[in-house]
Amino acid sequence: MTGLANRRLLQDRFDAWSGAIVGSDSSRDSAEAKSDTEKSGALLFIDLDRFKQANDTLGHTVGDKLLKKVAGRLADVAGSEGTLARIGGDEFVMFLPHCYGAEALGKRLVDALASPFHISGHELLLSASVGISLFPEHGTTLAGLQERADRAMYVAKSQGRNCCVQFSTEVARREEIVQEIARDLSLALSRAQFQLHYQPLVQRDGGLTGFEALVRWNHPLHGLVAPAEFIPQVEKSGLILSLGDWILRQACSTCRTWQMPGQPRVGVAVNVSAPQFDQPNYSERVLRALDETGLDPSLLTLELTEGVLVRDLTRTRTHLAVLRLAGIRIALDDFGTGYSSLSYLTDLPADVIKLDRSFLNRELPESSTVVESIVNLAHRLGLQVVAEGVETDTQRTNVLDLMCDQMQGYYFSKPVAAGEVPRLLEERARTAGRVRELTPA
């Protein structure tokens, strides 16, 4: 389909190359023997991020067209240096008959997929995680090299995706830690090892409207573990439902303590996973948590990604109707990732759009045009727009120029422990009217 080599051709070419290396080593004429550098190679394992989301939502026809375009971009970068193959749905492998510049090539492959793909009227945003292994240092068979490159690729995913990692003893140790973390997860909730940190949502004038609740795991040996390190394991283990219920109740209970007489009210936003939202009684569980904690429903915002919302539109509309009737606000999180979703703004009841941080990180001219279009449409529909990932003064200025309603990011404050929130609220009076950094003590 993609015009690339398949798994069998990749194996044949590797066998021919490695066989030539062995033949060179056994040659009696040392003058013809290859040097150590000439007997080295590299394998790059390339896995697409977010492809499944687009494929499941838009259909396999669009997914196949996307794979063809991805293959074309990768082939343009790879050139004729080695063998580029597609070995699975969204998995690609490139074997180089040398190890020169393997990491630089991996970064170029990642960069090649950063620009939007335009397919069948949709703007699709992808990224890639790349793992690298070296011959003979990390293995002398294709299967061995692929296994280690695959392990390095998963480390790249845990580091935030859209990057390249080479296998090493450090990578192997990191994997051991990940496996250890996976084993400890089952006891983490019962031992009260999870905690919530809160990142401010900042208005255009610098005032705070609320905080997003972000879970952290205070591991007894490894300290604070970021969500990217353990949430995938939580979802695989099935603990996501119990953890999600705990996060919701904890956030609601904490938010209630922020409400001070005579002071502006402060809300809290909570992320919702697909397994949670898929529960037939999800909306009832949310209302029960509000009733038990005593939080005003209007102070709660539930953040859901587009991929979660469009999985079952009938169920989605049922849940959202109940939740919004109760006064709960709905935010479309990471808006614009995976596929173009402007049509959903008119179909799904929501209150807030959170623009994905990738829009701020891209320096492409069309990026600002896309953001401007989204903001204009959102405002016409009565929705607020939050820009995520604001980290520099330039980004803040751009967000203000594009008329986004709120901002969030390290420029203002990192996520802070619950005990730090009162101090940030006290700072609000001093910062309102002028946007500045809110620095945790």
Side-chain angles (χ1 to χ4, degrees):
M1 182 183 69
T2 61
L4 301 180
N6 59 16
R7 189 186 299 269
R8 182 172 180 178
L9 180 56
L10 175 67
Q11 183 72 59
D12 288 346
R13 291 185 178 175
F14 175 84
D15 290 343
W17 176 83
S18 60
I21 295 296
V22 173
S24 174
D25 287 341
S26 62
S27 174
R28 294 182 179 180
D29 189 349
S30 59
E32 295 180 0
K34 296 180 180 293
S35 66
D36 288 342
T37 55
E38 290 178 303
K39 292 184 291 185
S40 63
L43 187 137
L44 290 76
F45 193 104
I46 307 151
D47 185 83
L48 302 183
D49 304 321
R50 299 195 183 107
F51 172 78
K52 186 177 185 301
Q53 180 186 28
N55 192 52
D56 290 349
T57 304
L58 300 177
H60 297 297
T61 299
V62 172
D64 289 348
K65 292 179 180 179
L66 178 57
L67 286 174
K68 291 178 182 178
K69 289 201 172 187
V70 166
R73 290 193 190 181
L74 295 178
D76 287 343
V77 174
S80 58
E81 286 192 77
T83 298
L84 177 63
R86 175 173 171 246
I87 62 169
D90 62 348
E91 296 177 337
F92 299 81
V93 164
M94 182 169 185
F95 176 71
L96 291 174
H98 58 76
C99 61
Y100 310 116
E103 191 165 356
L105 176 61
K107 291 178 180 177
R108 294 202 305 274
L109 293 172
V110 169
D111 292 342
L113 302 181
S115 300
F117 293 84
H118 295 93
I119 299 175
S120 303
H122 300 279
E123 182 182 71
L124 311 178
L125 302 175
L126 291 180
S127 59
S129 299
V130 179
I132 301 174
S133 60
L134 303 179
F135 176 100
E137 182 179 348
H138 302 140
T140 56
T141 66
L142 183 62
L145 290 171
Q146 187 172 314
E147 187 266 338
R148 285 163 179 79
D150 181 63
R151 290 164 64 183
M153 180 272 295
Y154 276 105
V155 172
K157 282 187 178 292
S158 71
Q159 292 180 353
R161 306 182 179 186
N162 198 37
C163 64
C164 180
V165 171
Q166 182 172 299
F167 184 81
S168 64
T169 54
E170 182 180 345
V171 167
R173 173 55 186 153
R174 186 182 181 89
E175 275 196 304
E176 292 176 6
I177 292 175
V178 169
Q179 293 171 1
E180 181 180 330
I181 285 174
R183 290 193 298 269
D184 294 344
L185 265 176
S186 60
L187 300 175
L189 191 58
S190 63
R191 293 180 177 177
Q193 293 174 355
F194 290 111
Q195 58 185 242
L196 294 184
H197 284 198
Y198 299 89
Q199 188 170 38
L201 293 163
V202 182
Q203 290 179 305
R204 293 177 60 84
D205 66 357
L208 303 186
T209 61
F211 295 80
E212 179 181 356
L214 300 167
V215 66
R216 301 290 187 267
W217 179 12
N218 192 5
H219 192 278
L221 295 179
H222 305 297
L224 283 182
V225 183
E229 300 282 349
F230 67 86
I231 288 297
Q233 296 294 336
V234 171
E235 292 178 341
K236 288 180 182 179
S237 67
L239 294 173
I240 190 65
L241 298 181
S242 299
L243 179 60
D245 284 346
W246 177 85
I247 291 172
L248 178 63
R249 282 179 168 76
Q250 184 72 16
C252 290
S253 178
T254 301
C255 181
R256 191 170 183 274
T257 67
W258 297 339
Q259 315 311 315
M260 304 297 292
Q263 297 295 323
R265 302 201 309 166
V266 183
V268 67
V270 176
N271 291 282
V272 182
S273 68
Q276 287 178 274
F277 197 71
D278 286 345
Q279 297 175 100
N281 66 340
Y282 174 71
S283 52
E284 287 79 5
R285 296 170 79 94
V286 174
L287 297 181
R288 189 182 311 125
L290 287 168
D291 183 61
E292 293 174 356
T293 59
L295 181 68
D296 186 334
S298 66
L299 295 177
L300 174 64
T301 298
L302 298 176
E303 297 192 0
L304 302 104
T305 64
E306 301 160 271
V308 172
L309 289 172
V310 301
R311 285 156 61 96
D312 185 332
L313 289 177
T314 300
R315 180 179 56 225
T316 292
R317 291 190 178 97
T318 300
H319 281 331
L320 295 191
V322 173
L323 295 170
R324 296 189 81 229
L325 183 62
I328 298 166
R329 288 161 56 85
I330 303 298
L332 303 183
D333 196 17
D334 296 337
F335 189 85
T337 59
Y339 46 89
S340 177
S341 312
L342 293 178
S343 62
Y344 292 117
L345 294 183
T346 59
D347 294 336
L348 297 176
D351 305 279
V352 179
I353 290 173
K354 300 193 72 175
L355 286 174
D356 184 68
R357 65 182 64 241
S358 63
F359 284 111
L360 300 183
N361 295 332
R362 284 184 285 169
E363 298 180 358
L364 302 172
E366 62 265 28
S367 181
S368 294
T369 303
V370 172
V371 173
E372 187 175 5
S373 300
I374 293 174
V375 173
N376 289 339
L377 178 57
H379 285 166
R380 287 201 298 272
L381 295 173
L383 306 177
Q384 289 190 320
V385 180
V386 179
E388 296 184 283
V390 178
E391 298 182 354
T392 67
D393 188 61
T394 298
Q395 290 177 335
R396 177 192 65 84
T397 301
N398 291 340
V399 165
L400 292 175
D401 290 343
L402 291 167
M403 301 306 295
C404 292
D405 303 290
Q406 298 178 44
M407 298 163 283
Q408 181 180 355
Y410 280 19
Y411 178 82
F412 307 103
S413 174
K414 294 181 178 180
V416 300
E420 288 290 324
V421 170
R423 182 184 61 79
L424 294 185
L425 293 177
E426 291 175 4
E427 283 189 15
R428 174 168 57 179
R430 299 196 299 272
T431 60
R434 57 188 181 90
V435 178
R436 61 181 289 273
E437 181 180 2
L438 299 170
T439 307

